[in-house]
Amino acid sequence: KKDDPNSFYVEEEPHLYHTPPLPSFHSKGVPPEDLKRIPLPPPFDDLPKTGKCEWSWDGEKRIILANFSSSVSSSNTFAMDPKDEAFFLQMMERNDLTLISEGLVSVQSLNPDYWKPEYLRRVLGQEYYHKFRRFDTVKTKKGFEKCVEVDGMVSMKVGDYIQYLEKRQDYLQGVMDGADPSFAFVNHEGQPKTLKNVGISALYMIDVDINRLLPKLSSNFLESFRYHGVLPGGSHCMLNSVTSTARPFMGPNMYVTPPAAFTHFHQDGHGTVDSGHLCISGYNEVVMLRRLTERHKKHALMTLTGNFGGKKALPTYFDGLYQEPHGDRLVSGNLSSFEWSC
């Protein structure tokens, strides 16, 4: 292949210059001359200075912060300045940087009665939910702690899950006074299950369809969210060209988890959609790679996951591009968040 003549990365042309050999299961990588570095991402214009949004840029971490708390009209309603909105949308199109915004939810409009675990218990407490992922904290031979996923999906009543969260919090805060740290529940097949220690096992509730399961909470979210154009089917989402009765469901979904849960490296929609994350409480840590060619993605996954295998065994390739679940998410503090795709 010829050398790339472009000073910056051009989305339509990398297949002409950046198609290294695919990762080999019989070797530990590709020679540097076959895996050339792709060009730097293009620069962007200066940050807007409208006075309606506070912008900041961290060049080392490539993070843009946008605070829209002051974006209000003369009638005291939310209104983006056209320059801020244009720049905001341009940055949303780029995945060589991380865009974090603040002020797109009216906190005053959020009904606190809907945003507590007690509301989930009251509405869904006796309903079984089948998408809980379990993560256990274990110690390695060298004494390091790590979190590993076990048992696949767990099925339990939502009320039991809220009780588990409460017991785990009591355990971690040291207020159980020597009580048994185990937690017992019954799955949807009537089989008794037990977590030996709530402080070690973290259960992650994923993909909750709030529109179908929690309609009042969903309505309150839509009332409080100030920028509907980026939601599925909104003015800035291509789903608006598809009739609402024929659109695939793209969220918003709700996720609830204590610390230690995560989701594998992935590309949402096999790389065909953009996703938004709204963190209601806790912290949502996302590791994001810049835009890469298909083959560079595969090499990146092999490098990041260390799937090179031992001397006598071939590695098992981690397919985060087309097989593994979505949403890179490491949390600290109980997390309640939303994700949607366009």
Side-chain angles (χ1 to χ4, degrees), residues 89-305:
L89 294 174
Q90 289 173 9
M91 296 304 102
M92 286 184 67
E93 292 178 358
R94 298 181 58 150
N95 66 0
D96 57 278
L97 50 82
T98 301
L99 175 63
I100 300 176
S101 57
E102 185 178 355
L104 294 184
V105 173
S106 172
V107 178
Q108 293 79 8
S109 299
L110 291 174
N111 186 333
D113 292 335
Y114 296 148
W115 300 93
K116 298 176 180 179
E118 186 58 38
Y119 177 71
L120 299 183
R121 175 160 35 208
R122 180 160 56 87
V123 176
L124 299 174
Q126 296 303 311
E127 299 291 332
Y128 277 98
Y129 193 70
H130 309 290
K131 300 185 74 173
F132 294 96
R133 297 172 60 197
R134 175 182 167 184
F135 298 83
D136 283 1
T137 301
V138 299
K139 282 191 175 181
T140 66
K141 293 180 179 180
K142 295 183 178 181
F144 297 105
E145 287 190 348
K146 68 176 182 178
C147 299
V148 296
E149 185 170 7
V150 296
D151 292 349
M153 290 291 181
V154 177
S155 175
M156 63 194 307
K157 288 184 177 180
V158 175
D160 288 339
Y161 179 62
I162 302 303
Q163 186 180 352
Y164 150 80
L165 290 176
E166 293 170 343
K167 187 169 185 178
R168 177 182 167 92
Q169 184 177 28
D170 289 343
Y171 176 85
L172 296 178
Q173 291 180 348
V175 297
M176 290 183 61
D177 295 327
D180 183 5
S182 66
F183 181 78
F185 61 96
V186 178
N187 69 11
H188 68 291
E189 295 178 335
Q191 299 172 340
K193 299 289 183 179
T194 301
L195 300 177
K196 293 182 179 180
N197 191 321
V198 294
I200 292 176
S201 297
L203 296 181
Y204 179 10
M205 188 180 191
I206 69 171
D207 296 338
V208 180
D209 182 348
I210 62 171
N211 185 54
R212 182 172 63 88
L213 298 176
L214 299 165
K216 289 187 176 180
L217 184 147
S218 177
S219 296
N220 186 234
F221 165 68
L222 294 176
E223 292 168 357
S224 306
F225 192 67
R226 292 170 155 177
Y227 197 48
H228 284 208
V230 298
L231 293 177
S235 58
H236 302 303
C237 174
M238 292 182 68
L239 281 179
N240 61 27
S241 298
V242 181
T243 176
S244 59
T245 57
R247 294 173 189 164
F249 177 73
M250 303 297 282
N253 285 328
M254 183 172 70
Y255 302 78
V256 181
T257 183
F262 62 88
T263 300
H264 305 285
F265 280 104
H266 72 287
Q267 54 178 3
D268 283 328
H270 295 174
T272 63
V273 299
D274 296 316
S275 294
H277 292 240
L278 171 63
C279 190
I280 299 296
S281 65
Y283 298 88
N284 187 1
E285 183 176 352
V286 180
V287 178
M288 188 169 70
L289 303 181
R290 59 165 292 192
R291 186 158 297 170
L292 300 170
T293 67
E294 182 72 6
R295 296 196 176 199
H296 275 78
K297 291 177 189 176
K298 292 182 180 294
H299 283 287
L301 281 178
M302 180 169 279
T303 300
L304 290 169
T305 58

Side-chain angles (χ1 to χ4, degrees), residues 33-100:
E33 59 269 19
D34 288 333
L35 190 59
K36 297 178 181 179
R37 181 177 179 177
I38 60 177
L40 295 173
F44 54 82
D45 296 333
D46 293 337
L47 300 175
K49 297 179 180 179
T50 64
K52 295 290 186 179
C53 177
E54 183 180 344
W55 295 92
S56 62
W57 163 246
D58 185 329
E60 181 180 357
K61 299 178 180 177
R62 297 192 63 78
I63 295 176
I64 289 184
L65 299 177
N67 190 332
F68 290 100
S69 301
S70 301
S71 295
V72 294
S73 65
S74 56
S75 58
N76 204 31
T77 58
F78 181 76
M80 281 189 183
D81 184 280
K83 293 181 180 179
D84 288 326
E85 183 175 20
F87 186 78
F88 182 69
L89 294 174
Q90 289 173 9
M91 296 304 102
M92 286 184 67
E93 292 178 358
R94 298 181 58 150
N95 66 0
D96 57 278
L97 50 82
T98 301
L99 175 63
I100 300 176

